[in-house]
Protein backbone atom coordinates (compact mmCIF):
# COMPACT_ATOMS: atom_id res chain seq x y z
CA UNK A 1 0.00 0.00 0.00
CA UNK A 2 2.83 2.38 0.93
CA UNK A 3 4.56 1.70 -2.38
CA UNK A 4 1.39 2.55 -4.30
CA UNK A 5 1.08 5.83 -2.39
CA UNK A 6 4.67 6.73 -3.22
CA UNK A 7 4.13 6.00 -6.91
CA UNK A 8 0.91 8.02 -6.87
CA UNK A 9 2.70 10.92 -5.19
CA UNK A 10 5.54 10.84 -7.76
CA UNK A 11 3.03 10.82 -10.61
CA UNK A 12 1.23 13.78 -9.01
CA UNK A 13 4.51 15.70 -8.78
CA UNK A 14 5.32 15.03 -12.43
CA UNK A 15 1.91 16.26 -13.55
CA UNK A 16 2.18 19.28 -11.26
CA UNK A 17 5.56 20.22 -12.74
CA UNK A 18 4.50 19.81 -16.36
CA UNK A 19 1.03 21.35 -15.90
CA UNK A 20 -0.31 22.77 -19.14
CA UNK A 21 2.83 21.67 -20.97
CA UNK A 22 1.69 18.06 -20.78
CA UNK A 23 0.87 16.90 -24.28
CA UNK A 24 -0.56 13.67 -25.56
CA UNK A 25 0.62 12.72 -29.03
CA UNK A 26 -1.90 10.35 -30.52
CA UNK A 27 -1.29 7.91 -33.39
CA UNK A 28 -2.59 9.04 -36.78
CA UNK A 29 -3.30 6.68 -39.69
CA UNK A 30 -3.36 8.05 -43.26
CA UNK A 31 -6.82 7.81 -44.88
CA UNK A 32 -5.49 6.40 -48.18
CA UNK A 33 -3.72 3.05 -48.12
CA UNK A 34 -2.89 3.28 -51.82
CA UNK A 35 -0.52 6.21 -51.28
CA UNK A 36 2.08 6.39 -48.53
CA UNK A 37 2.65 9.69 -46.74
CA UNK A 38 6.09 8.51 -45.69
CA UNK A 39 7.55 9.54 -49.07
CA UNK A 40 7.27 12.84 -50.89
CA UNK A 41 7.69 13.90 -54.53
CA UNK A 42 9.35 17.30 -54.96
CA UNK A 43 9.31 19.18 -58.26
CA UNK A 44 12.87 20.50 -58.59
CA UNK A 45 12.80 21.63 -62.22
CA UNK A 46 11.69 21.20 -65.80
CA UNK A 47 13.86 20.14 -68.72
CA UNK A 48 13.87 20.22 -72.50
CA UNK A 49 16.58 18.71 -74.68
CA UNK A 50 19.79 17.61 -72.97
CA UNK A 51 19.64 16.57 -69.32
CA UNK A 52 22.55 15.75 -67.02
CA UNK A 53 22.27 13.93 -63.70
CA UNK A 54 25.40 13.66 -61.57
CA UNK A 55 26.37 11.48 -58.64
CA UNK A 56 29.33 9.86 -56.94
CA UNK A 57 29.97 6.41 -58.33
CA UNK A 58 27.45 4.27 -60.20
CA UNK A 59 24.17 5.83 -61.35
CA UNK A 60 21.44 3.45 -62.52
CA UNK A 61 18.47 4.35 -64.71
CA UNK A 62 15.19 2.39 -64.52
CA UNK A 63 12.13 2.49 -66.76
CA UNK A 64 8.47 2.75 -65.72
CA UNK A 65 8.42 -1.03 -65.10
CA UNK A 66 11.45 -0.77 -62.79
CA UNK A 67 13.71 -2.50 -65.32
CA UNK A 68 17.34 -1.37 -65.50
CA UNK A 69 17.94 0.37 -68.85
CA UNK A 70 21.22 2.21 -68.35
CA UNK A 71 24.21 2.63 -66.05
CA UNK A 72 26.91 5.24 -65.79
CA UNK A 73 29.66 6.48 -63.50
CA UNK A 74 29.45 9.98 -61.95
CA UNK A 75 27.32 11.44 -64.75
CA UNK A 76 24.56 10.40 -67.18
CA UNK A 77 23.34 12.57 -70.06
CA UNK A 78 20.28 12.06 -72.22
CA UNK A 79 17.87 13.88 -74.50
CA UNK A 80 14.56 14.16 -72.64
CA UNK A 81 12.68 15.09 -75.82
CA UNK A 82 13.02 11.43 -76.89
CA UNK A 83 11.38 10.03 -73.76
CA UNK A 84 7.93 8.45 -74.09
CA UNK A 85 7.54 7.27 -70.50
CA UNK A 86 8.95 8.18 -67.05
CA UNK A 87 12.43 7.05 -66.02
CA UNK A 88 14.13 6.98 -62.62
CA UNK A 89 17.74 7.75 -61.63
CA UNK A 90 19.22 6.08 -58.55
CA UNK A 91 22.69 6.80 -57.17
CA UNK A 92 24.73 4.03 -55.55
CA UNK A 93 26.10 6.47 -52.97
CA UNK A 94 22.61 7.71 -52.11
CA UNK A 95 22.95 11.24 -53.48
CA UNK A 96 22.27 12.76 -56.90
CA UNK A 97 22.71 16.22 -58.42
CA UNK A 98 20.55 18.17 -60.85
CA UNK A 99 21.67 21.66 -61.89
CA UNK A 100 23.86 22.04 -58.76
CA UNK A 101 21.04 20.92 -56.43
CA UNK A 102 22.26 17.85 -54.54
CA UNK A 103 19.48 15.66 -53.20
CA UNK A 104 18.79 12.47 -51.34
CA UNK A 105 16.60 9.74 -52.82
CA UNK A 106 15.93 9.24 -56.53
CA UNK A 107 15.25 11.61 -59.44
CA UNK A 108 12.36 10.90 -61.77
CA UNK A 109 12.04 12.40 -65.24
CA UNK A 110 8.41 12.59 -66.32
CA UNK A 111 7.76 13.51 -69.98
CA UNK A 112 4.68 15.66 -70.65
CA UNK A 113 4.17 15.07 -74.36
CA UNK A 114 3.86 18.76 -75.09
CA UNK A 115 6.25 20.98 -73.18
CA UNK A 116 9.19 20.29 -70.88
CA UNK A 117 9.62 17.13 -68.83
CA UNK A 118 9.16 17.35 -65.06
CA UNK A 119 12.20 16.65 -62.86
CA UNK A 120 10.90 15.17 -59.61
CA UNK A 121 12.95 14.20 -56.56
CA UNK A 122 11.38 11.30 -54.61
CA UNK A 123 12.63 10.72 -51.08
CA UNK A 124 11.47 9.82 -47.55
CA UNK A 125 9.41 12.56 -45.91
CA UNK A 126 11.70 12.87 -42.90
CA UNK A 127 14.80 13.26 -45.09
CA UNK A 128 12.99 15.91 -47.13
CA UNK A 129 12.46 17.85 -43.89
CA UNK A 130 16.21 17.71 -43.13
CA UNK A 131 16.64 20.17 -46.02
CA UNK A 132 13.37 22.12 -45.66
CA UNK A 133 13.71 23.30 -42.05
CA UNK A 134 17.15 24.97 -42.50
CA UNK A 135 15.96 26.40 -45.83
CA UNK A 136 13.06 28.12 -44.04
CA UNK A 137 14.72 29.28 -40.79
CA UNK A 138 18.35 29.68 -39.60
CA UNK A 139 19.82 26.51 -38.08
CA UNK A 140 21.20 28.62 -35.20
CA UNK A 141 17.72 29.31 -33.83
CA UNK A 142 16.59 27.83 -30.47
CA UNK A 143 15.75 24.14 -30.60
CA UNK A 144 12.09 24.64 -29.62
CA UNK A 145 11.56 27.04 -32.54
CA UNK A 146 13.23 24.54 -34.88
CA UNK A 147 10.96 21.76 -33.62
CA UNK A 148 7.88 23.93 -34.14
CA UNK A 149 9.04 24.66 -37.69
CA UNK A 150 9.69 20.95 -38.33
CA UNK A 151 6.14 20.07 -37.29
CA UNK A 152 4.70 22.86 -39.45
CA UNK A 153 6.74 21.70 -42.43
CA UNK A 154 5.79 18.03 -41.92
CA UNK A 155 2.10 18.89 -41.53
CA UNK A 156 2.15 21.04 -44.66
CA UNK A 157 3.86 18.30 -46.67
CA UNK A 158 1.49 15.53 -45.54
CA UNK A 159 -1.56 17.64 -46.34
CA UNK A 160 -0.14 18.26 -49.84
CA UNK A 161 0.61 14.55 -50.30
CA UNK A 162 -2.99 13.70 -49.44
CA UNK A 163 -4.37 16.41 -51.72
CA UNK A 164 -2.07 15.50 -54.63
CA UNK A 165 -2.46 11.72 -54.57
CA UNK A 166 -3.37 11.67 -58.29
CA UNK A 167 -0.86 14.36 -59.36
CA UNK A 168 2.67 13.91 -60.73
CA UNK A 169 4.30 15.60 -57.74
CA UNK A 170 3.32 16.74 -54.25
CA UNK A 171 5.27 19.93 -53.57
CA UNK A 172 7.63 22.35 -55.29
CA UNK A 173 11.12 23.24 -54.09
CA UNK A 174 10.34 26.98 -53.98
CA UNK A 175 8.21 29.35 -51.92
CA UNK A 176 5.25 28.11 -53.98
CA UNK A 177 5.33 25.28 -51.43
CA UNK A 178 8.25 25.16 -48.98
CA UNK A 179 11.85 26.09 -49.75
CA UNK A 180 13.89 22.92 -50.27
CA UNK A 181 17.64 23.46 -50.51
CA UNK A 182 18.79 19.85 -50.81
CA UNK A 183 21.67 18.05 -49.13
CA UNK A 184 23.99 21.05 -48.88
CA UNK A 185 21.43 22.97 -46.82
CA UNK A 186 21.20 20.29 -44.10
CA UNK A 187 22.64 21.02 -40.66
CA UNK A 188 22.94 18.83 -37.52
CA UNK A 189 20.82 21.16 -35.36
CA UNK A 190 17.86 21.21 -37.73
CA UNK A 191 18.22 17.50 -38.44
CA UNK A 192 18.01 16.90 -34.69
CA UNK A 193 14.81 18.99 -34.50
CA UNK A 194 13.28 16.85 -37.23
CA UNK A 195 14.37 13.63 -35.54
CA UNK A 196 13.15 14.79 -32.11
CA UNK A 197 9.67 15.23 -33.60
CA UNK A 198 9.71 12.27 -36.01
CA UNK A 199 6.29 11.77 -37.58
CA UNK A 200 4.57 14.43 -35.44
CA UNK A 201 1.97 16.68 -37.09
CA UNK A 202 -0.58 19.27 -36.04
CA UNK A 203 -4.14 18.03 -36.63
CA UNK A 204 -7.64 19.41 -36.18
CA UNK A 205 -10.55 16.98 -36.06
CA UNK A 206 -8.21 14.17 -37.22
CA UNK A 207 -7.07 16.09 -40.32
CA UNK A 208 -3.61 17.67 -40.86
CA UNK A 209 -4.07 21.42 -40.54
CA UNK A 210 -3.30 24.05 -43.13
CA UNK A 211 0.00 24.88 -41.41
CA UNK A 212 0.57 28.30 -42.94
CA UNK A 213 3.59 30.21 -41.70
CA UNK A 214 5.33 33.47 -42.56
CA UNK A 215 8.38 35.48 -41.55
CA UNK A 216 7.09 38.18 -39.19
CA UNK A 217 3.50 39.17 -38.38
CA UNK A 218 4.39 42.66 -37.20
CA UNK A 219 2.64 42.04 -33.89
CA UNK A 220 -0.60 40.37 -34.98
CA UNK A 221 -1.38 37.54 -37.37
CA UNK A 222 -4.06 37.59 -40.08
CA UNK A 223 -6.98 35.27 -40.88
CA UNK A 224 -6.73 33.34 -44.18
CA UNK A 225 -10.11 34.55 -45.48
CA UNK A 226 -8.74 38.10 -45.56
CA UNK A 227 -5.78 36.96 -47.66
CA UNK A 228 -7.12 34.27 -49.99
CA UNK A 229 -10.88 34.44 -49.49
CA UNK A 230 -13.06 31.51 -48.47
CA UNK A 231 -14.37 30.62 -45.03
CA UNK A 232 -12.79 31.32 -41.68
CA UNK A 233 -10.74 28.42 -40.28
CA UNK A 234 -11.20 27.75 -36.53
CA UNK A 235 -7.51 27.15 -35.78
CA UNK A 236 -6.30 30.18 -37.78
CA UNK A 237 -7.65 33.25 -35.98
CA UNK A 238 -5.78 36.54 -35.76
CA UNK A 239 -3.62 36.32 -32.62
CA UNK A 240 -1.34 38.82 -30.89
CA UNK A 241 2.32 38.00 -31.61
CA UNK A 242 4.31 40.28 -29.33
CA UNK A 243 7.56 38.33 -29.65
CA UNK A 244 7.88 39.36 -33.30
CA UNK A 245 9.75 42.41 -32.04
CA UNK A 246 12.87 40.24 -31.80
CA UNK A 247 12.93 39.72 -35.54
CA UNK A 248 13.83 41.24 -38.88
CA UNK A 249 11.29 43.57 -40.51
CA UNK A 250 9.18 44.16 -37.42
CA UNK A 251 9.40 47.78 -38.54
CA UNK A 252 10.37 48.78 -42.06
CA UNK A 253 10.04 51.67 -44.49
CA UNK A 254 10.53 52.18 -48.21
CA UNK A 255 10.39 55.14 -50.57
CA UNK A 256 8.63 54.28 -53.83
CA UNK A 257 9.26 56.62 -56.72
CA UNK A 258 6.47 58.25 -58.71
CA UNK A 259 7.97 56.71 -61.87
CA UNK A 260 7.64 53.20 -60.42
CA UNK A 261 4.06 53.85 -59.34
CA UNK A 262 3.17 55.16 -62.82
CA UNK A 263 4.78 52.20 -64.61
CA UNK A 264 3.23 49.57 -62.32
CA UNK A 265 -0.29 51.03 -62.24
CA UNK A 266 -0.69 52.42 -65.77
CA UNK A 267 -3.51 49.90 -66.29
CA UNK A 268 -5.72 51.91 -63.91
CA UNK A 269 -6.19 54.52 -66.68
CA UNK A 270 -6.83 57.50 -64.39
CA UNK A 271 -4.23 59.80 -65.91
CA UNK A 272 -1.35 61.10 -63.81
CA UNK A 273 -1.53 59.54 -60.34
CA UNK A 274 -1.73 62.34 -57.77
CA UNK A 275 -2.46 60.59 -54.48
CA UNK A 276 -2.83 57.17 -52.87
CA UNK A 277 -4.61 56.53 -49.60
CA UNK A 278 -5.80 53.66 -47.44
CA UNK A 279 -9.60 53.50 -47.13
CA UNK A 280 -10.08 50.46 -44.90
CA UNK A 281 -8.21 47.82 -42.95
CA UNK A 282 -8.85 44.28 -41.73
CA UNK A 283 -9.28 43.46 -38.06
CA UNK A 284 -5.53 42.81 -37.75
CA UNK A 285 -4.67 46.27 -39.10
CA UNK A 286 -3.70 45.20 -42.60
CA UNK A 287 -4.66 47.23 -45.64
CA UNK A 288 -7.90 46.06 -47.22
CA UNK A 289 -8.98 48.79 -49.66
CA UNK A 290 -7.02 51.66 -51.26
CA UNK A 291 -7.93 54.62 -53.43
CA UNK A 292 -5.85 56.03 -56.30
CA UNK A 293 -6.68 59.58 -57.39
CA UNK A 294 -5.48 60.73 -60.81
CA UNK A 295 -5.83 63.71 -63.14
CA UNK A 296 -8.59 61.87 -65.05
CA UNK A 297 -10.48 60.19 -62.25
CA UNK A 298 -10.07 57.83 -59.34
CA UNK A 299 -10.31 54.10 -58.66
CA UNK A 300 -10.08 51.63 -55.81
CA UNK A 301 -8.00 48.48 -55.51
CA UNK A 302 -7.41 45.88 -52.82
CA UNK A 303 -4.34 46.14 -50.63
CA UNK A 304 -3.20 42.68 -51.67
CA UNK A 305 -3.28 43.76 -55.34
CA UNK A 306 -1.13 46.77 -54.44
CA UNK A 307 1.41 44.53 -52.69
CA UNK A 308 1.44 41.89 -55.43
CA UNK A 309 2.00 44.56 -58.09
CA UNK A 310 4.90 46.29 -56.33
CA UNK A 311 6.48 43.12 -54.92
CA UNK A 312 9.49 43.28 -52.58
CA UNK A 313 9.25 46.94 -51.43
CA UNK A 314 5.92 46.24 -49.72
CA UNK A 315 6.87 43.49 -47.29
CA UNK A 316 3.45 43.06 -45.74
CA UNK A 317 -0.04 44.56 -45.80
CA UNK A 318 0.40 46.12 -42.38
CA UNK A 319 1.52 49.51 -43.70
CA UNK A 320 0.68 53.17 -44.14
CA UNK A 321 1.43 55.35 -47.17
CA UNK A 322 1.88 59.09 -47.71
CA UNK A 323 3.09 61.41 -50.48
CA UNK A 324 6.66 62.54 -49.97
CA UNK A 325 8.59 64.53 -52.56
CA UNK A 326 8.55 62.84 -55.94
CA UNK A 327 7.21 59.59 -54.61
CA UNK A 328 5.56 57.84 -51.66
CA UNK A 329 6.82 56.89 -48.22
CA UNK A 330 5.58 53.48 -47.10
CA UNK A 331 6.02 52.52 -43.43
CA UNK A 332 5.10 49.03 -42.39
CA UNK A 333 5.33 46.21 -39.86
CA UNK A 334 6.05 42.55 -40.48
CA UNK A 335 6.90 40.49 -43.53
CA UNK A 336 4.81 37.95 -45.42
CA UNK A 337 1.10 37.15 -45.63
CA UNK A 338 0.71 37.06 -41.86
CA UNK A 339 -1.33 33.84 -41.62
CA UNK A 340 -0.51 31.12 -39.10
CA UNK A 341 2.83 30.78 -37.34
CA UNK A 342 5.14 33.78 -37.31
CA UNK A 343 8.66 32.41 -37.62
CA UNK A 344 10.23 35.35 -35.79
CA UNK A 345 7.47 35.16 -33.19
CA UNK A 346 8.33 31.49 -32.70
CA UNK A 347 11.99 32.47 -32.31
CA UNK A 348 11.09 35.08 -29.69
CA UNK A 349 8.87 32.65 -27.76
CA UNK A 350 11.59 30.00 -27.75
CA UNK A 351 14.06 32.58 -26.42
CA UNK A 352 11.63 33.18 -23.55
CA UNK A 353 11.57 29.42 -22.78
CA UNK A 354 8.25 28.53 -24.37
CA UNK A 355 8.37 24.98 -25.74
CA UNK A 356 7.33 23.89 -29.21
CA UNK A 357 3.88 22.73 -28.04
CA UNK A 358 3.14 26.14 -26.53
CA UNK A 359 4.39 27.87 -29.67
CA UNK A 360 2.19 25.79 -31.95
CA UNK A 361 -0.90 26.12 -29.76
CA UNK A 362 -0.45 29.88 -29.62
CA UNK A 363 -0.54 30.28 -33.40
CA UNK A 364 -2.92 27.37 -34.10
CA UNK A 365 -5.33 27.34 -31.12
CA UNK A 366 -7.42 24.19 -30.75
CA UNK A 367 -5.03 21.85 -32.57
CA UNK A 368 -3.78 18.50 -31.33
CA UNK A 369 -0.53 16.69 -32.05
CA UNK A 370 -0.50 13.28 -33.69
CA UNK A 371 2.21 10.93 -34.92
CA UNK A 372 1.98 9.21 -38.30
CA UNK A 373 1.74 5.44 -37.98
CA UNK A 374 3.14 2.90 -40.40
Amino acid sequence: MTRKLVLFFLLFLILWETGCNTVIIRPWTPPYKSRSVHDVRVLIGKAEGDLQIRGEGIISVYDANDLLIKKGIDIISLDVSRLKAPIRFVGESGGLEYKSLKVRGSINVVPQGQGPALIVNSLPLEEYLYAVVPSEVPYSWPNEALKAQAICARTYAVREILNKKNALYDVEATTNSQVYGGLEKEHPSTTKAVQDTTGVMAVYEETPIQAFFHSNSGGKTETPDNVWGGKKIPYLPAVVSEFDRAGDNFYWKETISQDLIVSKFSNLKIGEIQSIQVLSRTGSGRVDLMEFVGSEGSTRIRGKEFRQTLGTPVRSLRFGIQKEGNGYLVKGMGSGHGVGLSQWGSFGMAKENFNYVEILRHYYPGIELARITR
Side-chain angles (χ1 to χ4, degrees):
M1 185 69 177
T2 304
R3 186 178 179 186
K4 287 183 179 179
L5 284 172
V6 170
L7 288 173
F8 177 80
F9 182 68
L10 288 173
L11 178 61
F12 175 79
L13 284 178
I14 291 169
L15 291 174
W16 176 265
E17 286 293 324
T18 54
C20 293
N21 294 339
T22 303
V23 59
I24 298 173
I25 300 178
R26 301 181 293 100
W28 180 86
T29 303
Y32 310 121
K33 293 185 178 179
S34 59
R35 173 73 207 283
S36 171
V37 298
H38 295 285
D39 298 289
V40 63
R41 302 166 300 173
V42 188
L43 178 67
I44 59 174
K46 296 181 180 181
E48 293 182 287
D50 291 336
L51 169 74
Q52 286 189 344
I53 300 295
R54 298 176 181 272
E56 294 182 4
I58 297 173
I59 303 172
S60 302
V61 186
Y62 298 87
D63 67 11
N65 297 312
D66 216 27
L67 297 174
L68 179 66
I69 56 175
K70 190 173 184 178
K71 272 191 174 185
I73 298 177
D74 296 339
I75 184 171
I76 289 183
S77 301
L78 56 83
D79 182 357
V80 297
S81 65
R82 301 178 63 181
L83 291 178
K84 303 300 180 185
I87 58 173
R88 179 169 59 96
F89 292 80
V90 178
E92 188 179 64
S93 66
L96 293 170
E97 181 179 341
Y98 167 72
K99 286 189 173 179
S100 77
L101 179 67
K102 295 180 180 179
V103 297
R104 295 172 179 265
S106 62
I107 291 179
N108 301 314
V109 182
V110 186
Q112 295 293 286
Q114 299 294 323
L118 304 180
I119 312 301
V120 179
N121 177 205
S122 296
L123 73 165
L125 172 63
E126 298 298 314
E127 294 181 12
Y128 161 73
L129 297 174
Y130 293 165
V132 167
V133 177
S135 297
E136 286 287 355
V137 294
Y139 62 76
S140 58
W141 277 19
N143 191 45
E144 295 303 305
L146 297 180
K147 288 194 282 189
Q149 185 67 44
I151 291 172
C152 285
R154 184 181 293 109
T155 305
Y156 177 90
V158 169
R159 189 179 176 93
E160 290 297 287
I161 291 169
L162 294 175
N163 289 339
K164 305 280 182 65
K165 63 182 186 296
N166 296 319
L168 297 174
Y169 59 88
D170 305 309
V171 294
E172 298 182 37
T174 68
T175 52
N176 288 340
S177 298
Q178 303 184 108
V179 181
Y180 170 65
L183 266 166
E184 292 187 340
K185 197 67 180 178
E186 293 181 16
H187 189 274
S189 62
T190 44
T191 296
K192 182 179 185 300
V194 173
Q195 293 172 342
D196 286 347
T197 62
T198 298
V200 177
M201 301 184 303
V203 300
Y204 186 83
E205 296 181 347
E206 302 298 322
T207 301
I209 69 167
Q210 297 183 61
F212 296 118
F213 54 84
H214 58 282
S215 178
N216 191 319
S217 78
K220 192 170 186 178
T221 66
E222 182 59 283
T223 58
D225 53 295
N226 282 330
V227 179
W228 302 293
K231 297 179 180 179
K232 288 187 179 294
I233 298 174
Y235 54 81
L236 287 172
V239 300
V240 173
S241 184
E242 58 184 295
F243 294 104
D244 283 318
R245 291 179 179 274
D248 296 343
N249 294 317
F250 183 75
Y251 291 114
W252 54 268
K253 65 179 180 179
E254 291 285 347
T255 299
I256 302 174
S257 70
Q258 177 73 11
D259 289 343
L260 182 62
I261 291 290
V262 168
S263 66
K264 292 289 187 178
F265 295 99
S266 58
N267 63 311
L268 298 181
K269 301 188 184 305
I270 56 172
E272 183 181 349
I273 296 172
Q274 299 171 336
S275 70
I276 303 172
Q277 62 179 331
V278 175
L279 295 181
S280 64
R281 295 179 180 274
T282 68
S284 72
R286 288 169 172 80
V287 175
D288 178 33
L289 192 62
M290 305 180 72
E291 182 177 53
F292 280 63
V293 177
S295 58
E296 298 176 12
S298 64
T299 190
R300 297 177 177 186
I301 67 169
R302 293 292 175 188
K304 55 189 174 184
E305 182 184 344
F306 180 78
R307 181 175 178 233
Q308 287 168 356
T309 302
L310 285 175
T312 304
V314 184
R315 294 168 201 155
S316 80
L317 284 175
R318 207 166 188 208
F319 70 85
I321 185 169
Q322 66 184 50
K323 193 84 168 69
E324 185 176 87
N326 189 32
Y328 294 85
L329 176 64
V330 181
K331 289 185 176 181
M333 300 174 69
S335 178
H337 51 62
V339 178
L341 178 138
S342 166
Q343 291 169 320
W344 276 109
S346 173
F347 169 87
M349 290 183 72
K351 280 286 191 181
E352 293 296 323
N353 297 318
F354 288 91
N355 64 36
Y356 74 93
V357 178
E358 293 170 309
I359 293 169
L360 292 171
R361 285 182 171 167
H362 176 72
Y363 289 106
Y364 310 110
I367 59 105
E368 296 180 279
L369 297 183
R371 179 172 276 112
I372 306 167
T373 61
R374 286 193 175 271

